[in-house]
Amino acid sequence: MKHYCITFLLCLMGTSMLQAQKITRVEPLSWWTDMRCPLTLMFYGENLQDAQITVQKKQGKRYVATEGLTVSAQHNAESKNYLFAEIDVREAGEYRFVLTKGKQKATCNYIVNTRREGSAERQSFTTADVIYLLMPDRFVDGDETNNSSPLTKEKGNKANIHGRYGGDIQGIINSLDYIKSIGATTVWPTPLLLDNEEAWSYHGYACADYYHIDPRFGSNEQYKQMVSIAHEKGLKFIMDIVTNHCGLAHWWMEDLPYHDWIHQFDQYTQTNNVFSANYDPNASRYDLHQNESGWFDTHMPDMNLDNPDLLQYFKQWAIWWIEYADLDGLRVDTYPYNEKLPMSEWCKAIREEYPNINIVGECWTRPASNVAYWQADAKNYDGFNSHLPSVMDFPVEESIRQALENEGKGWGEGMCRVYDAMSQDYLYADLNKLLVFVGNHDMEHIADIVLNNDLRRVKTAITLMATMRGIPQLFAGDEMGQRSADITMGHSGLRQLLPDLSTLTAEQQDLLDYQKRLFGFRLNEPVIHNGRTMHFMARNNTYAYFRYTNDGAVFVFVNASEEAQNIPWHTYQEILCKYQPTGKDIVSETLIDTRKPYSIAPLSCMVVRLEGKKEGVIRIGTPSDKAPKYIVDGVEVKDISSIDPKTVQSATVLKGEKAIEQYSAPDGVIVITTKQ
């Protein structure tokens, strides 16, 4: 039997006497056999320093001495009210910890479960998925009875734009069928853990308890049930977590285990947001210290991950939620604000426990080189490896939004911005692990910022997001062109409840239907999931690119201009020649012949699926009354029947000195290049 080391932070809440009824907090709330990671539990009470810990196991109605769970070591914190213990786990069962100090004793029950089969090998979200991001309080209110709770400070108040609107776990459960119907495969709610601030608590990013769901959202059991129901419907689930900061209302703020559990200053010091200090060879230690130690906000104390007990606490906390709720992945808020080396260790520990797990970090910075630094296995000059698999593609998000907020007529404007952003792909260690999006809960809705709030431009944004490399993420409401209530009121004015589908305008319904078709196609299209990209320089505020493999290609043409534009097929011959000449427009479901001219309407897109060539076929033209000239590897020939099709590298039709769109050219020249 293997031994698994667990570290327990025991924090007792009570008075001066060690009494069993005063042990009120155990974190993590339970554990499992066959885990690689150790744990840290918390009790809070008076004078736990140096208490001796013994363990008993329940047999029938009695607790007896056991070797199934044993204490291998223990140590104190700076606060006399905390105690840490390292535990070897051998067997599942119901255990009892006995803390003894002199004649005083306190007991606490603890459960070790048998780990579910295959848990370590769980799969995660990939390029085959579409993530649906929602803010629970501002999504759907499925249970009005929990809009306020006697256990929390702030009560429900829909009349206050900064208040709690009542969205909850039941609202998410009720909406899972809708989420699936629009083509999403993965649900990402912003934090659902307790946020007990007196105001603005709806966003959930100021955690007051890392192991309990906010009662205004539901309960731990209901959260677990929600994930299970999602899985039954074929949906994955991501948990949004914050390691950088907690909330001022967190219970440990009254008595920290260590002075350096959080970063403390003589006066309030806010982070300077200078992420570059982590990799800038010219950066000062002062700037780096303020970036990673300064508080994110006045009510968000900055956690110090250089404290080894805190780092261990956060490792096991993330693992506990994955194991308990059967999660499919994690999203980490404010990633570059953390100390980078401890966070690298944190990511590595999670991935050692779950080798296939995907974790995406919010690295809100630019240009692409700054974002790429944070992705696992990046070729960084300083040798740093974050072990963070995925990063959010903020440079591409910014380029799309800026391209669509005006007419794009200036040099380098419009779709040129998107082309330029995509040209930086060489910087990333893994393009398939980029989260591609056009909006989220910290931004205006895409319909707020596109020129004239034109939903045709929103279609363009969604088309780009759905067909680019990476993993697309859609923000709730953007699929129907939802706009913010009041963009002058900060984040609160941007985050509104999801509209009732019966209230949509004809234009909004058209956008929703368009997206359903687009994501429905994407769901089963391996070329989009795994294909490479070839793009062509934007002209006249258009942008064209191919996602391609040997078996097929998806051609995307974006016309972001306010005039009709012809598709210049001849420009794309270097890649078109590898595929069949006709394909299907996945939106209109019409056949598109790439040998014929096409005009694309203003502010619209075309997405065409092309099949790979059948082996043994050279697409060099069609029969005609007058045979064209053939030039093979620079030599003019009259007959090409002896050429092995497998050796053909390219075939281009010329008229004069220019390539033309048609492949039949009786008075032209067909130039064939073979593989040497």
Side-chain angles (χ1 to χ4, degrees):
M1 178 66 68
K2 294 182 179 179
H3 290 61
Y4 298 89
C5 182
I6 298 179
T7 301
F8 291 100
L9 165 57
L10 305 176
C11 165
L12 299 173
M13 299 191 70
T15 59
S16 60
M17 297 295 292
L18 273 171
Q19 299 174 352
Q21 65 268 27
K22 297 301 182 182
I23 302 177
T24 60
R25 193 176 290 276
V26 180
E27 296 176 357
L29 308 182
S30 59
W31 203 242
W32 297 265
T33 56
D34 301 315
M35 303 294 287
R36 297 190 62 173
C37 181
L39 297 177
T40 303
L41 305 182
M42 285 195 179
F43 294 74
Y44 183 63
E46 278 194 27
N47 197 22
L48 284 184
Q49 280 184 347
D50 300 321
Q52 297 302 306
I53 304 172
T54 56
V55 187
Q56 301 169 340
K57 186 177 183 181
K58 188 174 185 180
Q59 288 188 356
K61 295 182 178 180
R62 300 185 318 125
Y63 284 89
V64 298
T66 181
E67 292 296 319
L69 197 71
T70 58
V71 179
S72 60
Q74 65 182 68
H75 65 275
N76 297 323
E78 288 178 356
S79 168
K80 64 182 181 180
N81 302 318
Y82 293 83
L83 187 63
F84 293 80
E86 296 177 5
I87 309 295
D88 290 332
V89 178
R90 295 179 177 87
E91 300 172 356
E94 182 178 337
Y95 294 91
R96 173 175 292 172
F97 290 102
V98 181
L99 277 68
T100 304
K101 195 167 185 180
K103 296 182 179 181
Q104 300 172 352
K105 289 186 178 181
T107 62
C108 177
N109 293 342
Y110 198 77
I111 300 294
V112 174
N113 299 294
T114 299
R115 194 177 193 185
R116 68 169 62 87
E117 186 176 353
S119 175
E121 293 75 33
R122 71 185 61 233
Q123 299 302 303
S124 194
F125 59 97
T126 69
T127 54
D129 291 300
V130 174
I131 298 172
Y132 190 78
L133 163 63
L134 59 92
M135 179 160 272
D137 181 72
R138 303 298 176 92
F139 186 57
V140 174
D141 187 354
D143 181 3
E144 293 185 352
T145 65
N146 65 7
N147 289 1
S148 297
S149 169
L151 303 176
T152 57
K153 299 173 184 177
E154 188 176 15
K155 310 305 178 184
N157 185 0
K158 293 182 182 180
N160 179 0
I161 198 168
H162 304 296
R164 299 190 71 100
Y165 285 12
D168 48 32
I169 288 175
Q170 190 59 52
I172 299 173
I173 293 174
N174 295 348
S175 303
L176 291 176
D177 286 335
Y178 165 75
I179 292 171
K180 185 174 181 179
S181 76
I182 64 173
T185 64
T186 304
V187 185
W188 159 21
T190 54
L192 286 154
L193 297 177
L194 176 65
D195 183 329
N196 203 22
E197 300 301 312
E198 294 181 354
W200 292 284
S201 68
Y202 72 90
H203 57 68
Y205 284 99
C207 184
D209 188 326
Y210 284 102
Y211 282 97
H212 288 92
I213 297 295
D214 195 306
R216 292 161 294 189
F217 291 138
S219 65
N220 284 15
E221 186 59 35
Q222 192 178 22
Y223 179 85
K224 185 177 180 180
Q225 179 189 32
M226 171 177 63
V227 177
S228 177
I229 294 172
H231 287 168
E232 290 173 3
K233 296 179 181 294
L235 296 169
K236 299 175 183 177
F237 228 88
I238 296 172
M239 190 175 201
D240 194 344
I241 64 175
V242 190
T243 53
N244 178 69
H245 52 264
C246 66
L248 269 180
H250 195 287
W251 65 268
W252 62 35
M253 291 302 296
E254 295 297 321
D255 184 7
L256 295 170
Y258 298 89
H259 181 270
D260 69 353
W261 194 254
I262 64 172
H263 290 118
Q264 303 195 48
F265 300 86
D266 292 336
Q267 58 184 7
Y268 174 71
T269 301
Q270 192 161 14
T271 179
N272 56 12
N273 306 302
V274 182
F275 307 152
S276 61
N278 284 282
Y279 40 83
D280 176 6
N282 307 309
S284 64
R285 290 186 179 182
Y286 178 89
D287 287 341
L288 176 60
H289 176 70
Q290 189 169 345
N291 172 73
E292 63 186 19
S293 301
W295 289 24
F296 191 76
D297 206 335
T298 54
H299 62 289
M300 294 178 175
D302 195 81
M303 308 308 300
N304 177 22
L305 298 186
D306 285 323
N307 181 299
D309 285 332
L310 177 61
L311 178 60
Q312 183 61 27
Y313 177 89
F314 277 145
K315 288 178 186 177
Q316 64 201 23
W317 160 61
I319 289 170
W320 187 88
W321 276 107
I322 294 171
E323 199 71 27
Y324 169 77
D326 199 17
L327 297 171
D328 303 292
L330 301 173
R331 182 262 186 180
V332 184
D333 184 64
T334 53
Y335 191 89
Y337 293 90
N338 293 279
E339 294 85 355
K340 71 177 185 180
L341 293 179
M343 275 307 291
S344 171
E345 184 180 334
W346 179 89
C347 286
K348 185 178 181 181
I350 308 305
R351 295 176 68 188
E352 286 177 345
E353 194 73 62
Y354 306 101
N356 302 315
I357 201 79
N358 201 351
I359 308 169
V360 59
E362 180 198 31
C363 304
W364 194 337
T365 185
R366 55 192 65 81
S369 57
N370 290 8
V371 179
Y373 179 85
W374 297 103
Q375 191 177 31
D377 302 321
K379 296 179 180 179
N380 294 322
Y381 81 96
D382 58 1
F384 171 69
N385 189 341
S386 71
H387 297 287
L388 174 70
S390 294
V391 289
M392 300 173 68
D393 194 346
F394 280 96
V396 163
E397 167 269 321
E398 181 183 64
S399 73
I400 294 173
R401 289 169 74 96
Q402 290 180 345
L404 296 172
E405 67 183 8
N406 55 53
E407 294 181 355
K409 292 183 176 180
W411 176 256
E413 295 293 328
M415 286 295 113
C416 287
R417 288 184 175 273
V418 181
Y419 180 94
D420 288 344
M422 290 290 291
S423 73
Q424 303 301 301
D425 275 2
Y426 71 95
L427 292 163
Y428 293 103
D430 190 346
L431 294 174
N432 285 341
K433 295 287 179 65
L434 294 178
L435 196 72
V436 183
F437 62 107
V438 296
N440 63 27
H441 57 290
D442 289 324
M443 304 174 180
E444 298 93 335
H445 279 285
I446 185 67
D448 291 327
I449 62 96
V450 296
L451 185 63
N452 301 323
N453 310 115
D454 193 330
L455 294 192
R456 291 177 297 174
R457 297 181 186 273
V458 176
K459 277 187 181 180
T460 296
I462 290 176
T463 301
L464 290 165
M465 178 183 68
T467 56
M468 285 179 168
R469 81 290 183 269
I471 307 167
Q473 170 252 293
L474 181 71
F475 179 46
D478 283 349
E479 72 271 20
M480 57 185 69
Q482 183 179 16
R483 292 177 60 186
S484 302
D486 186 348
I487 60 176
T488 68
M489 297 299 291
H491 286 159
S492 300
L494 313 178
R495 304 160 175 170
Q496 298 301 305
L497 291 168
L498 192 72
D500 190 304
L501 294 179
S502 64
T503 66
L504 300 186
T505 66
E507 191 178 15
Q508 287 177 314
Q509 186 63 53
D510 177 67
L511 173 63
L512 183 59
D513 292 341
Y514 174 85
Q515 182 197 264
K516 287 181 178 180
R517 291 194 297 272
L518 191 61
F519 284 130
F521 160 75
R522 190 191 189 283
L523 182 64
N524 298 304
E525 183 45 72
V527 172
I528 295 294
H529 304 162
N530 304 310
R532 298 179 62 188
T533 301
M534 181 183 291
H535 66 168
F536 294 82
M537 182 61 192
R539 297 174 177 85
N540 300 324
N541 207 12
T542 68
Y543 181 45
Y545 56 94
F546 290 78
R547 300 296 312 286
Y548 67 96
T549 65
N550 291 335
D551 298 323
V554 174
F555 169 68
V556 182
F557 187 87
V558 174
N559 180 13
S561 76
E562 298 187 356
E563 298 177 355
Q565 299 289 338
N566 293 325
I567 299 179
W569 296 116
H570 63 280
T571 304
Y572 317 135
Q573 289 309 310
E574 64 185 278
I575 188 168
L576 271 179
C577 69
K578 300 176 183 179
Y579 301 97
Q580 298 294 337
T582 58
K584 187 177 183 180
D585 184 331
I586 63 95
V587 176
S588 67
E589 297 188 339
T590 58
L591 290 179
I592 302 298
D593 190 334
T594 62
R595 298 166 298 190
K596 297 180 180 180
Y598 280 91
S599 179
I600 304 300
L603 301 176
S604 64
C605 305
M606 176 184 281
V607 181
V608 180
R609 177 62 163 88
L610 298 169
E611 296 293 337
K613 283 184 180 179
K614 295 180 180 179
E615 188 173 349
V617 175
I618 306 176
R619 181 161 68 96
I620 57 174
T622 56
S624 60
D625 294 335
K626 183 179 179 181
K629 293 181 180 180
Y630 299 107
I631 297 178
V632 180
D633 296 331
V635 179
E636 183 175 344
V637 299
K638 294 182 178 181
D639 181 27
I640 61 170
S641 60
S642 63
I643 298 177
D644 183 351
K646 296 180 181 179
T647 68
V648 174
Q649 179 170 299
S650 66
T652 306
V653 180
L654 303 178
K655 268 196 175 183
E657 297 296 326
K658 296 183 179 180
I660 63 172
E661 296 177 14
Q662 292 80 10
Y663 279 86
S664 58
D667 56 346
V669 176
I670 294 181
V671 179
I672 299 174
T673 302
T674 60
K675 301 174 184 177
Q676 300 299 315

